[in-house]
Amino acid sequence: FEKFEDVRPGIGKPSRSWIDRECRRIAKEMMTRNQAFSNLVESAYPNAVRLSIHSHSNEGPKFGIDLLGGVHKDRVVTPWHNVIVQNSDGTLAIKKREDVNLLKYE
């Protein structure tokens, strides 16, 4: 949303409230599409095991898998929301980007 001048030529920079409204509208569209896709997959493959990188209750119909093998505060961690760092002793750790001391890691 930083360069709306490109999207809205001649109008200029949008207001914060306009950006907030657009973000809410886009988020609702994304949730609607996600639910529609989920319904389609469920109807097309009713007996399939459905895996997800997101946390789920694992009671069905989707089951969350942990790609990185670490749980952080009762949620599945993903490479999209975290970084992997190598400590000085050679061990690997999964951390939130904002929790990584950039002076400690290259």
Side-chain angles (χ1 to χ4, degrees), residues 55-87:
S55 295
H56 287 276
S57 65
N58 289 341
E59 296 171 2
K62 292 182 187 176
F63 299 88
I65 59 170
D66 189 351
L67 293 176
L68 299 177
V71 177
H72 180 41
K73 296 182 183 176
D74 299 326
R75 64 179 170 77
V76 175
V77 296
T78 65
W80 298 274
H81 302 106
N82 298 276
V83 294
I84 299 173
V85 295
Q86 185 173 17
N87 297 311

